[in-house]
């Protein structure tokens, strides 16, 4: 009897279910729930495993590769695992990291549920696999959030560990952000910004103090030279430096407001990046966001003409995830009457692609996990992976979905401030060619992602023939595209 063939989504669900069977190793701290499945290229399951299944504390990748499937050729096979595989540096010799076992087994593709929550380890397993020529694909964000929810205590403890426990630094070549700035000292940290961070993170030490200096060394905000003198790293200065733009001008966030009719205002925001976002929002909210009065609920309520929380997330993403190694470019925000553009240096972090961003359901992959850690602790960034999915709700608020583009090494996100912006997206020069019905129709399809004719008819209370005629008109004008044959067709907006 032939084995059952599963879809990728079914296998992800089964891997998560397998993780719930994990057997805890410790009684004094949380262990992660980890499940793994190996399939052949046709989606037939070869074996499943969960953490601690055969031996206490044994990682499930090891259980699969070195125990259950030891005598099987796994070349071209696929591994699904809920937690990023560990690396050799994270294991006590003679144990090897799961990523090493996966590489030696010549597994072709690895689907990863969530990245390791430890900022010192995050992305290392994936990077190792990619360097070995293994294809790595992250679970979609909604699956990742389910995994993170079931591992909430483990994640919380791992993050707290970074603040409280002194750890030996990993011996490896220093990255751009890890390199010390020998001309600077910890006195160049902005005391207000540092103290705010320590307050939010509930640290047991204060600033300045010897304990803070040691934590800064452990977290790679600082480094010690051969004479024992402590200097901030680039990471430390960029996060907390008083006037970091004097040393690294590319950390500036440039803002341009175009009021129309040739009137514009330009301003640069410097200082520690943890302080930039609120300063920018305070500035643009007063100058570029019109306030309207909503009296529908019987009282006077001021409302911005574009959701400020969405702009906040876009600015936070630009600061957190940009490529700081690119010293030729700065973050950029442009606000005009019809659109908002946020531009930041760097392509999406591998293995994410521009196409992944356009789904608005990407997993939590950060180029700068330690910056992400600090912003999360300070309440400056939404829960990991939430920002893009919030943007997906813009059509429900009456605004078109944002567009993503790559231009000369810069990731550009464009938000339309008006429904008429839909016309500009589709190349219609005469905005009058779009009726209010057209705009509402496109916004509805954007909100749904894909919509059938029946769903379209139900939303706008149309009979079948009228719905078909309106959809055909939208397709003819390239406002939407039709997928599939006419009977079972789905409609979606142009990507």
């Amino acid at each position: 009897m032939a084995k059952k063939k599963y879809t990728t989504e079914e296998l992800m669900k089964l891997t998560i279910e397998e993780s719930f069977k994990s057997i805890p190793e410790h009684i004094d701290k949380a262990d992660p729930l980890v499940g793994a499945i190996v399939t052949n290229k046709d989606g037939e399951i070869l074996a499943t495993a969960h953490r601690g299944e055969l031996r206490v504390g044994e990682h499930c990748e090891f259980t699969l590769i070195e125990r259950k499937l030891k005598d099987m050729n796994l070349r071209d096979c696929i591994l699904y695992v809920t937690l990023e595989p560990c690396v050799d540096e994270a294991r006590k010799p003679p144990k090897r990291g799961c990523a090493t076992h996966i590489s030696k087994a010549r597994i072709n593709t690895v689907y990863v549920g969530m990245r390791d929550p430890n900022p010192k380890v995050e992305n290392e397993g994936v990077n190792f696999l990619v360097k070995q020529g293994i294809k790595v694909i992250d679970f979609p964000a909604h699956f990742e959030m389910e995994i993170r929810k079931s591992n909430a205590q483990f994640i919380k403890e791992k993050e707290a560990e970074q603040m409280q426990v002194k750890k030996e630094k990993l011996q490896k070549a220093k990255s751009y952000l890890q390199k010390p700035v020998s001309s600077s000292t910890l006195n160049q940290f902005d005391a207000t910004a540092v103290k705010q961070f320590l307050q939010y993170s509930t640290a047991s030490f204060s600033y300045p103090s010897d304990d803070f200096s040691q934590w800064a060394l452990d977290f790679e905000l600082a480094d010690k030279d051969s004479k024992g003198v402590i200097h901030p790293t680039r990471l430390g200065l960029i996060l907390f430096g008083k006037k970091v733009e004097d040393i690294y001008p590319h950390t500036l966030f440039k803002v341009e407001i175009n009021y129309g009719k040739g009137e514009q205002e330009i301003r640069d925001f410097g200082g520690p990046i943890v302080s930039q976002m609120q300063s920018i929002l305070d500035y643009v909210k007063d100058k570029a966001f019109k306030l309207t009065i909503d009296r529908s609920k019987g009282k006077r309520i001021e409302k911005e003409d574009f959701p400020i929380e969405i702009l906040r997330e876009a600015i936070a993403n630009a600061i957190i995830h940009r490529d700081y190694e690119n010293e030729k470019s700065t973050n950029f925000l442009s606000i005009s009457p019809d659109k908002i553009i946020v531009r930041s240096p760097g392509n999406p972090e591998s293995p994410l692609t521009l196409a992944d961003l356009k789904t608005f359901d990407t997993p939590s992959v950060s180029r700068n996990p330690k910056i992400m850690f600090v912003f999360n602790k300070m309440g400056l960034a939404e829960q990991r992976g939430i920002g893009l999915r919030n943007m997906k709700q813009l059509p429900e608020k009456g605004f078109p979905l944002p567009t993503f583009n790559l231009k000369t090494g810069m990731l550009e996100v464009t938000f339309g401030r008006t429904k008429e912006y839909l016309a500009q997206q589709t190349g219609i020069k005469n905005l009058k060619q779009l009726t209010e019905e057209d705009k509402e129709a496109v916004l509805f399809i954007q909100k749904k992602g894909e919509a059938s004719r029946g769903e379209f008819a139900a939303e706008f209370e149309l009979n079948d023939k009228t719905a078909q005629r309106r959809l055909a008109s939208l397709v003819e004008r390239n406002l939407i595209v039709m997928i599939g044959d006419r009977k079972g067709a789905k409609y979606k907006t142009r990507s």
Side-chain angles (χ1 to χ4, degrees):
M1 182 177 178
K3 286 187 176 181
K4 180 178 178 179
K5 297 180 180 179
Y6 293 88
T7 66
T8 298
E9 183 168 324
E10 288 173 335
L11 288 163
M12 290 178 182
K13 290 179 180 178
L14 289 172
T15 307
I16 295 173
E17 292 172 6
E18 183 70 25
S19 73
F20 298 151
K21 303 175 185 176
S22 296
I23 301 171
E25 176 184 358
H26 302 91
I27 59 174
D28 58 340
K29 64 178 183 179
D31 291 306
L33 303 180
V34 190
I37 294 176
V38 172
T39 73
N40 62 21
K41 62 182 180 181
D42 296 321
E44 297 173 345
I45 295 177
L46 304 181
T48 67
H50 50 271
R51 181 183 171 92
E53 178 178 351
L54 299 184
R55 292 187 181 179
V56 174
E58 188 171 273
H59 291 193
C60 49
E61 299 99 315
F62 180 86
T63 301
L64 283 173
I65 295 169
E66 301 297 338
R67 298 197 187 280
K68 293 188 175 184
L69 299 173
K70 185 176 181 179
D71 299 323
M72 183 174 290
N73 182 356
L74 299 181
R75 183 188 292 273
D76 296 330
C77 288
I78 301 170
L79 170 69
Y80 293 80
V81 61
T82 56
L83 181 67
E84 177 181 12
C86 61
V87 291
D88 289 348
E89 291 81 1
R91 303 289 281 163
K92 293 181 180 180
K95 292 181 179 179
R96 306 299 300 274
C98 293
T100 297
H101 294 297
I102 294 167
S103 174
K104 287 187 173 182
R106 298 181 180 179
I107 285 175
N108 177 273
T109 303
V110 178
Y111 284 84
V112 176
M114 75 174 226
R115 302 301 175 93
D116 193 303
N118 186 334
K120 279 193 172 182
V121 179
E122 186 175 23
N123 297 332
E124 294 296 326
V126 166
N127 290 340
F128 175 85
L129 294 175
V130 171
K131 287 178 182 177
Q132 303 306 310
I134 296 171
K135 186 176 181 181
V136 178
I137 303 171
D138 289 286
F139 283 27
H142 63 282
F143 282 138
E144 184 202 7
M145 295 307 296
E146 184 177 347
I147 297 168
R148 291 183 68 84
K149 184 177 180 180
S150 65
N151 283 281
Q153 183 60 30
F154 168 72
I155 294 170
K156 180 180 179 180
E157 291 180 9
K158 275 298 180 184
E159 290 181 343
E161 200 173 290
Q162 294 303 306
M163 294 294 300
Q164 307 296 349
V165 179
K166 299 177 182 179
K167 291 186 176 181
E168 294 183 1
K169 295 173 64 175
L170 297 176
Q171 298 301 313
K172 59 180 180 180
K174 288 182 171 62
S175 67
Y176 174 86
L177 290 176
Q178 290 171 327
K179 292 180 179 178
V181 184
S182 57
S183 59
S184 301
T185 69
L186 295 188
N187 290 333
Q188 289 180 250
F189 282 1
D190 183 293
T192 300
V194 174
K195 290 176 180 178
Q196 184 181 16
F197 167 63
L198 295 179
Q199 179 183 356
Y200 275 105
S201 57
T202 63
S204 60
F205 48 83
S206 60
Y207 171 83
S209 68
D210 291 340
D211 284 342
F212 172 82
S213 297
Q214 184 59 54
W215 174 78
L217 289 168
D218 292 339
F219 198 68
E220 298 176 343
L221 297 183
D223 202 355
K224 188 179 292 186
D225 65 20
S226 58
K227 296 180 180 180
V229 179
I230 297 177
H231 303 282
T233 59
R234 289 169 173 168
L235 173 66
L237 279 183
I238 287 172
L239 274 168
F240 296 115
K242 291 177 186 175
K243 294 185 178 180
V244 61
E245 68 273 14
D246 291 346
I247 303 174
Y248 299 112
H250 69 297
T251 61
L252 286 169
F253 205 124
K254 294 184 174 292
V255 177
E256 175 184 287
I257 301 175
N258 186 335
Y259 297 104
K261 299 181 180 179
E263 296 182 21
Q264 65 178 17
E265 191 170 339
I266 300 174
R267 181 170 171 180
D268 292 344
F269 290 83
I273 61 171
V274 296
S275 303
Q276 285 182 357
M277 183 173 66
Q278 192 57 52
S279 297
I280 293 169
L281 289 174
D282 290 343
Y283 173 71
V284 301
K285 188 174 181 180
D286 291 339
K287 291 182 172 289
F289 279 61
K290 299 174 184 176
L291 291 174
T292 58
I293 308 302
D294 180 6
R295 295 187 175 87
S296 60
K297 297 181 180 180
K299 59 181 179 179
R300 185 178 185 272
I301 301 175
E302 290 188 342
K303 296 170 57 180
E304 294 87 6
D305 66 350
F306 184 83
I308 195 72
E309 68 274 8
I310 298 295
L311 179 60
R312 180 183 186 273
E313 291 164 7
I315 293 172
N317 285 339
I319 295 173
I320 294 168
H321 303 302
R322 67 153 288 176
D323 179 5
Y324 282 96
E325 194 167 354
N326 180 350
E327 294 188 345
K328 296 181 179 179
S329 304
T330 68
N331 283 330
F332 175 77
L333 169 64
S334 172
I335 301 180
S336 61
D338 63 328
K339 62 186 176 182
I340 297 171
I341 298 173
V342 180
R343 193 179 299 139
S344 59
N347 297 330
E349 179 67 2
S350 179
L352 294 183
T353 65
L354 191 64
D356 292 328
L357 296 181
K358 292 178 179 179
T359 68
F360 298 93
D361 192 25
T362 61
S364 303
V365 180
S366 175
R367 177 182 283 106
N368 306 303
K370 293 188 177 180
I371 294 177
M372 183 71 177
F373 174 84
V374 170
F375 269 66
N376 275 332
K377 284 295 183 182
M378 296 182 72
L380 298 173
E382 291 288 345
Q383 186 180 358
R384 296 167 67 107
I386 294 296
L388 277 177
R389 293 201 295 285
N390 284 346
M391 293 179 190
K392 192 175 183 179
Q393 306 307 314
L394 276 170
E396 295 181 5
K397 301 175 183 291
F399 300 92
L401 286 173
T403 58
F404 297 88
N405 289 292
L406 291 174
K407 294 185 178 179
T408 61
M410 303 281 284
L411 177 62
E412 183 177 278
V413 187
T414 303
F415 300 92
R417 298 182 73 178
T418 63
K419 294 177 183 178
E420 286 73 13
Y421 182 73
L422 290 167
Q424 299 173 26
Q425 285 181 295
T426 55
I428 297 177
K429 295 182 179 180
N430 183 2
L431 300 183
K432 293 181 180 179
Q433 291 183 26
L434 277 187
T435 66
E436 284 300 312
E437 285 184 345
D438 292 336
K439 297 169 193 172
E440 294 296 336
V442 173
L443 287 173
F444 167 71
I445 294 172
Q446 278 195 338
K447 179 176 65 176
K448 290 284 292 183
E450 289 184 358
S452 67
R453 188 169 69 200
E455 290 171 326
F456 184 84
E459 173 68 17
F460 296 104
E461 299 180 351
L462 305 172
N463 61 44
D464 188 67
K465 288 186 177 180
T466 303
Q468 181 178 351
R469 184 172 64 251
R470 283 185 57 182
L471 288 167
S473 173
L474 295 172
V475 170
E476 184 180 351
R477 288 178 288 161
N478 291 321
L479 291 169
I480 61 173
V481 294
M482 184 176 73
I483 304 169
D485 56 38
R486 187 171 296 276
K487 287 185 178 179
K490 294 279 189 177
Y491 297 85
K492 63 182 292 186
T493 53
R494 294 171 56 192
S495 58

